[in-house]
Amino acid sequence: MALNGTSHLLIRANPRYSAAYMPEYPDIVVYLEALEKRIMGRTLERVSIASPFLLRTAVPPISAVAARRVSDLRRLGKRICIGLEEDLWLVLHLMIAGRLHWKDRPAPARSSRAKLSQRDLAAFQFDNGTLSLTEAGTKRRASLHVVAGEAGLGNLDPGGLEIFAPSKEGLDCTDLKTFAAALQSENHTLKRALTDPRLFSGIGNAYSDEIFFAAQLSPIKLTQKLTDQEIERLYLATRATLTSWVERLRTESGDRFPEKVTAFRAGMAVHGRYRQPCPRCGAKIQRIRYATNETNYCPACQTGGKLLADRALSRILREDWPRTAEELG
Ligand SMILES: [Zn+2]
């Protein structure tokens, strides 16, 4: 099904289309937990950068982070922030194809650079192992910023609402009223609103599909047309979906460093399950394809049996749909 000429061409030109996936909240949380076990309190000895496109800042210089200890780890939207002594931060955005890898083995002591393998964009050598960054494909979108202090981090924060915030008891969930206010601050399709990093933090294409399914809502429904009950359903579904996927991914990676960061997970209800039976009602899962995104939904559970494929949908996709990797950032 070609929705218009552009999307048709893009899809045909890119056979790896379905593999495009930007790591989202559950993936980033699990990456951070794996990093905490390995590099918290450790010394970053050196950094090697292979691609001139990766490093997006000049001040502070990348050399300033060497020989400093890791004192903090944080998520900022879909970015991973490694805090070092003197309040310096390495901020990584994996975008679509960037992935992290960890090797326990320390590099030879006499080497003056962190060892880069051919596929590495960057290698961060710690006193107990090496964290490397790779990016599949030819597009260089992954980014590294070196920033100083809260002000530097603040400049990179898209500002979306955190669904969960750290508290004394662990994690506190944002309340329904705050969630509703963010959701309805602009009138957009649900798909666009929930994946807009200025409105919500860390939610992208895959987990938004799962959330809409859990809430039994259409991804094209407009946020300002939602009833109070629908907003509450969406709120509860967002909390439950993110919480349960963090737990699943945590269990799956166990003590290993998370290497299988992908959009398609066994156990997902709709995302990546086009034409497969809905786990709730058995109807065939449908899809909306646009540019580099695929949205999946169950027509029986979410859209009153309607297939979202008419002319009105083309207009919505043009005007009110997340379309580029940068917009999903
Ligand atoms: Zn269904």
Side-chain angles (χ1 to χ4, degrees):
M1 171 186 67
L3 295 166
N4 62 34
T6 314
S7 63
H8 189 57
L9 276 177
L10 275 168
I11 289 158
R12 293 209 6 190
N14 183 5
R16 300 196 54 187
Y17 153 80
S18 60
Y21 174 62
M22 185 185 292
E24 303 179 26
Y25 178 87
D27 309 288
I28 303 292
V29 167
V30 173
Y31 263 141
L32 282 166
E33 289 174 356
L35 285 172
E36 185 162 356
K37 284 184 207 155
R38 288 161 179 83
I39 64 171
M40 188 61 110
R42 292 291 181 167
T43 301
L44 174 60
E45 293 177 341
R46 34 188 109 89
V47 179
S48 296
I49 293 176
S51 163
F53 302 108
L54 182 69
L55 183 62
R56 307 292 166 87
T57 46
V59 181
I62 186 79
S63 57
V65 300
R68 297 201 190 278
R69 272 177 30 171
V70 177
S71 54
D72 203 352
L73 286 158
R74 240 187 251 181
R75 181 182 56 81
L76 190 63
K78 297 188 189 106
R79 295 172 200 257
I80 289 170
C81 311
I82 301 173
L84 300 149
E85 293 169 314
E86 306 296 322
D87 215 3
L88 288 171
W89 291 83
L90 290 166
V91 184
L92 277 166
H93 198 316
L94 302 173
M95 296 300 287
I96 299 275
R99 295 295 183 267
L100 294 175
H101 314 275
W102 174 260
K103 272 204 190 102
D104 260 333
R105 197 182 55 229
R110 291 180 60 196
S111 157
S112 62
R113 290 162 60 87
K115 243 186 172 172
L116 281 164
S117 81
Q118 219 166 15
R119 60 178 198 156
D120 291 346
L121 284 190
F124 304 86
Q125 189 182 309
F126 293 87
D127 55 12
N128 62 333
T130 304
L131 178 70
S132 62
L133 168 69
T134 58
E135 190 170 33
T138 52
K139 287 211 171 86
R140 290 290 160 251
R141 287 187 177 130
S143 66
L144 171 65
H145 291 75
V146 181
V147 300
E150 295 296 330
L153 287 174
N155 288 337
L156 295 174
D157 186 357
L161 179 70
E162 290 296 340
I163 303 297
F164 304 99
S167 76
K168 278 183 203 147
E169 286 78 40
L171 282 179
D172 263 358
C173 190
T174 187
D175 59 64
L176 174 59
K177 213 174 131 195
T178 312
F179 178 86
L183 186 69
Q184 297 189 307
S185 60
E186 295 168 12
N187 193 26
H188 289 305
T189 59
L190 270 182
K191 184 70 177 182
R192 172 131 175 210
L194 213 62
T195 58
D196 185 337
R198 298 174 305 115
L199 300 182
F200 293 98
S201 173
I203 302 173
N205 194 40
Y207 290 97
S208 61
D209 278 1
E210 293 300 294
I211 290 167
F212 301 141
F213 174 76
Q216 296 187 253
L217 289 170
S218 165
I220 69 164
K221 186 135 193 172
L222 289 171
T223 52
Q224 291 182 357
K225 292 216 165 136
L226 293 170
T227 64
D228 289 348
Q229 287 92 337
E230 287 172 329
I231 294 175
E232 186 166 9
R233 256 169 35 216
L234 183 69
Y235 167 73
L236 294 173
T238 304
R239 283 168 55 154
T241 303
L242 295 180
T243 304
S244 82
W245 276 101
V246 166
E247 282 165 12
R248 284 193 216 202
L249 299 191
R250 191 183 279 150
T251 306
E252 188 182 291
S253 74
D255 288 333
R256 297 180 306 276
F257 195 79
E259 289 282 346
K260 288 184 189 128
V261 177
T262 164
F264 307 114
R265 302 269 184 190
M268 281 192 162
V270 288
H271 190 74
R273 299 193 64 246
Y274 176 55
R275 285 190 171 141
Q276 294 178 52
C278 166
R280 190 189 283 129
C281 75
K284 272 189 185 170
I285 301 299
Q286 298 298 319
R287 66 181 175 188
I288 300 168
R289 298 212 276 185
Y290 190 75
T292 55
N293 295 328
E294 176 167 327
T295 292
N296 299 107
Y297 65 97
C298 170
C301 293
Q302 293 176 255
T303 61
K306 247 177 83 178
L307 291 187
L308 305 178
D310 57 14
R311 231 187 248 183
L313 180 64
S314 305
R315 185 187 54 75
I316 288 168
L317 293 181
R318 268 198 316 277
E319 294 171 5
D320 202 26
W321 208 249
R323 68 196 71 195
T324 65
E326 285 69 24
E327 269 182 61
L328 284 165

